[in-house]
């Protein structure tokens, strides 16, 4: 098997601001693997607030293939080797995991969702994300999201009510809100959620810091809107820990280590009747298409 690693800077059309800060793009790593004339691809996305970098991902992939230079013969075995190789490195594992699934599906001449034995349900509604900004940029973003029926708005800064009011000047579309842990006080969070409920908001994502479990539990009991865990949920084993503090989870391949772990996380979430959102970091169509393969599982009961 041959492989090629290509670092890439995914430059945004406009700067993107969330509660963590503002950036102009995201470092990606693309992986291409070739065997038996079949070419397959994987991707890692590396936003700056996570510990992995382009360099650590490349080092992980080189080390993994150095230790496991075996030909691709069995997907389960390859995945087992990958996910038991080193601790952490979830974006790097996602990159290789996506490429493995892509290769085996291409070999069979089927989609990855078929390879996983999933159904071909229509894709669920997809949101368009609007970062923080001034009124002019928010109005432009609403226009940019014209083709989407639901918009996702980043809050958790100083001007949350102004942001929603500015957006409501130009659209009455349903909105979901992602606070990215930006509200530090549970009473403030509850007041904001009551205010947001009057603004046709569907759900609130990660309102409080991820380590503040007791306040998240309290907020969940009090909240008039569903709460979705993002930063609070990383791997499948986290689901049971947060299941009473949220109504749903945001599964991202980069957090949990790829398609196989993402499927486990969704299955675990559905076991507790949690809603499932399939999310992404800023990623290219390679990793986003990989995540979309799991979309039919989001409503299934195990
Ligand atoms: Mg989020």
């Amino acid at each position: 098997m041959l492989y090629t690693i290509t670092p890439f800077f995914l430059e945004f059309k406009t700067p993107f601001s969330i509660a963590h800060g503002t950036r102009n793009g995201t470092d990606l790593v693309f992986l291409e693997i070739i065997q038996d004339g079949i070419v397959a691809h994987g991707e890692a996305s590396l936003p700056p607030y996570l510990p992995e970098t382009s360099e650590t991902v490349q080092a992980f992939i080189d080390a993994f293939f150095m230790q496991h230079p075996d030909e691709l013969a069995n997907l389960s075995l390859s995945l087992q080797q990958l996910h038991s190789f080193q601790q952490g490195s979830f974006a790097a594992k996602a990159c290789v995991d996506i490429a493995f699934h892509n290769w085996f599906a291409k070999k069979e001449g089927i989609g990855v969702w078929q390879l996983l034995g999933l159904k071909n349900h229509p894709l669920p509604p997809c949101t368009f994300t609007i970062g923080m900004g001034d009124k002019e940029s928010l109005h432009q973003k609403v226009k940019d999201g014209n083709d989407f029926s639901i918009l996702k708005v980043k809050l958790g800064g100083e001007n949350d009510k102004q942001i929603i009011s500015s957006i409501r000047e130009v659209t009455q579309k349903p909105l979901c809100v992602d606070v990215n842990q930006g509200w530090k006080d549970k009473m403030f969070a509850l007041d904001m959620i009551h205010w947001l409920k009057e603004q046709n908001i569907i759900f609130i994502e990660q309102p409080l810091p991820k380590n503040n479990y007791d306040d998240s539990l309290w907020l969940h009991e009090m909240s008039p809107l569903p709460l979705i865990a993002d930063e609070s949920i990383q791997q499948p084993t986290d689901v049971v820990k947060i299941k009473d503090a949220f109504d749903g989870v945001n599964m991202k391949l980069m957090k949990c280590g790829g398609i196989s772990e993402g499927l486990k996380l969704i299955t675990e979430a559905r076991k507790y009747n949690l809603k499932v959102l399939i999310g992404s970091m800023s990623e290219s169509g390679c990793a986003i298409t990989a995540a979309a393969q799991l979309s039919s599982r989001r409503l299934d009961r195990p």
Side-chain angles (χ1 to χ4, degrees), residues 5 121 130 159 293:
I5 299 170
H121 292 322
I130 298 180
N159 309 309
Q293 306 298 311

Side-chain angles (χ1 to χ4, degrees), residues 126-130 138-153 163-164 166-177 196-203:
C126 184
T127 63
F128 178 84
T129 298
I130 298 180
L138 293 167
H139 287 184
Q140 181 58 47
K141 277 293 199 179
V142 171
K143 269 191 200 157
D144 294 344
N146 201 31
D147 291 342
F148 293 77
S149 57
I150 307 173
L151 304 175
K152 180 166 170 177
V153 182
I163 288 172
I164 296 297
S166 295
I167 290 171
R168 280 288 173 245
E169 286 172 12
V170 289
T171 182
Q172 291 307 312
K173 281 181 186 174
L175 305 176
C176 33
V177 157
L196 288 165
K197 185 170 189 308
E198 305 306 313
Q199 317 295 320
N200 191 18
I201 307 296
I202 301 173
F203 65 73

